[in-house]
């Protein structure tokens, strides 16, 4: 199974609130889980990534939570700002034979209202 | 430190034509991957080049081909263009050994009419 399922499709959050985006995967060979942020007309920018040896990783206002047994991971954006309004993609890949082949979710369009 | 660069930014082609897109990787990176992103979708992996060879390929037809040069830059060629090839084509670079940590360029918007 190569799919990565992402939800919700869209999200509206008030300024200062917490944005939460969830992803689930099936392939147990996946061992690298990045999140990308994409603004209209731009390429995806690597935001934060996690490997399964840790359950949480925090960088500034962005936190990834990882649940290996449930095969789920999520992105939390604390103190959400209007400048965070973008489309967010989760992705997954393995370090084995298909190293480098990132499998992306379908994206979540985040709107942060002032 | 220059990031990943792509050219051209936009391109309009007619069905049946051929197109070549170009990518220069981030400084220090030796691996280039190409992705196709349809409107409203996540990027889909086309193929990856390392040491001037195609190392992996996604589920794309042979009309999609590529090349990597000794300076690590890369080209994506698409022959016999179809309307469905209209998309944003993204190049991502990485270092072999950590090639799943990929940095994307701004993309080339291809429109096929």
């Amino acid at each position: 199974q190569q799919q990565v399922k992402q939800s919700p499709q869209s999200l509206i959050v008030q300024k200062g609130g917490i944005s939460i985006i969830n992803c689930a995967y099936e392939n147990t060979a996946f061992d690298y889980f990045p999140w990308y942020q994409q603004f209209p007309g731009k390429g995806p920018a690597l935001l934060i990534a996690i490997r399964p040896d840790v359950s949480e990783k925090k960088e500034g206002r962005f936190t990834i939570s990882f649940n290996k047994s449930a095969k789920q991971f999520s992105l939390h954006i604390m103190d959400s700002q209007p400048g965070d309004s973008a489309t967010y993609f989760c992705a997954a890949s393995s370090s084995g034979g298909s190293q480098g082949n990132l499998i992306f979710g379908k994206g979540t369009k985040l709107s942060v209202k002032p | 430190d220059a990031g990943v660069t792509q050219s051209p930014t936009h391109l309009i082609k007619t069905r049946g034509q051929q197109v070549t897109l170009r990518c220069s990787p981030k400084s220090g990176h030796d691996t280039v991957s190409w992705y196709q992103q349809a409107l409203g979708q996540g990027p889909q992996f086309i193929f990856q080049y390392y040491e001037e060879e195609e190392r992996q390929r996604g589920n794309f037809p042979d009309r999609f081909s590529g090349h990597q040069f000794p300076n690590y830059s890369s080209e994506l060629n698409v022959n016999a263009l179809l309307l469905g090839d209209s998309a944003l084509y993204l190049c991502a670079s990485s270092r072999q050994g950590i090639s799943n940590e990929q940095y994307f360029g701004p993309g080339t918007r291809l429109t096929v009419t």
Side-chain angles (χ1 to χ4, degrees):
Chain A
Q1 296 290 340
Q2 291 291 312
Q3 279 187 327
V4 175
K5 295 182 180 179
Q6 184 172 346
S7 63
Q9 189 173 355
S10 62
L11 183 61
I12 299 174
V13 173
Q14 290 296 126
K15 178 182 175 182
I18 302 173
S19 303
I20 301 174
I21 305 171
N22 301 297
C23 282
Y25 64 97
E26 289 294 326
N27 189 344
T28 55
F30 288 154
D31 60 1
Y32 176 72
F33 303 90
W35 285 90
Y36 285 85
Q37 178 190 57
Q38 187 174 31
F39 293 103
K42 305 292 185 183
L46 181 59
L47 202 56
I48 186 172
I50 198 168
R51 296 190 184 272
D53 52 341
V54 296
S55 60
E56 186 174 282
K57 183 175 181 180
K58 183 176 180 179
E59 289 184 3
R61 296 185 294 109
F62 301 92
T63 300
I64 298 180
S65 296
F66 184 79
N67 186 329
K68 188 174 181 178
S69 60
K71 291 185 285 187
Q72 295 176 348
F73 57 109
S74 60
L75 176 69
H76 295 233
I77 305 174
M78 311 300 288
D79 187 27
S80 298
Q81 299 297 312
D84 297 330
S85 297
T87 299
Y88 292 81
F89 293 95
C90 63
S93 74
S94 71
S95 299
S98 62
Q99 184 183 45
N101 178 1
L102 287 173
I103 308 296
F104 282 83
K106 292 190 174 182
T108 296
K109 186 173 183 180
L110 171 65
S111 296
V112 181
K113 299 301 183 185
Chain B
D1 178 22
V4 180
T5 60
Q6 291 186 243
S7 64
T9 304
H10 295 92
L11 206 51
I12 300 175
K13 290 286 188 178
T14 303
R15 274 179 300 175
Q17 285 189 318
Q18 178 264 344
V19 68
T20 297
L21 311 181
R22 296 175 177 81
C23 170
S24 290
K26 185 178 168 67
S27 177
H29 287 185
D30 55 10
T31 302
V32 172
S33 302
W34 286 92
Y35 291 79
Q36 180 194 67
Q37 186 177 24
L39 204 60
Q41 300 294 317
Q44 282 198 296
F45 177 75
I46 303 174
F47 43 54
Q48 183 181 80
Y49 276 83
Y50 170 65
E51 290 186 328
E52 302 179 47
E53 290 187 11
E54 182 182 296
R55 299 291 178 167
Q56 291 183 64
R57 189 178 185 92
N59 189 26
F60 279 81
D62 292 345
R63 297 187 297 109
F64 290 77
S65 64
H67 188 78
Q68 186 180 34
F69 299 93
N71 67 353
Y72 310 122
S73 67
S74 176
E75 287 182 349
L76 164 65
N77 300 292
V78 186
N79 294 322
L81 285 167
L82 303 173
L83 294 178
D85 294 332
S86 295
L88 181 67
Y89 287 85
L90 296 162
C91 168
S93 75
S94 56
R95 286 185 288 172
Q96 188 61 14
I98 46 173
S99 67
N100 45 18
E101 185 175 313
Q102 298 181 14
Y103 295 84
F104 284 83
T108 293
R109 172 68 64 187
L110 172 64
T111 302
V112 182
T113 61

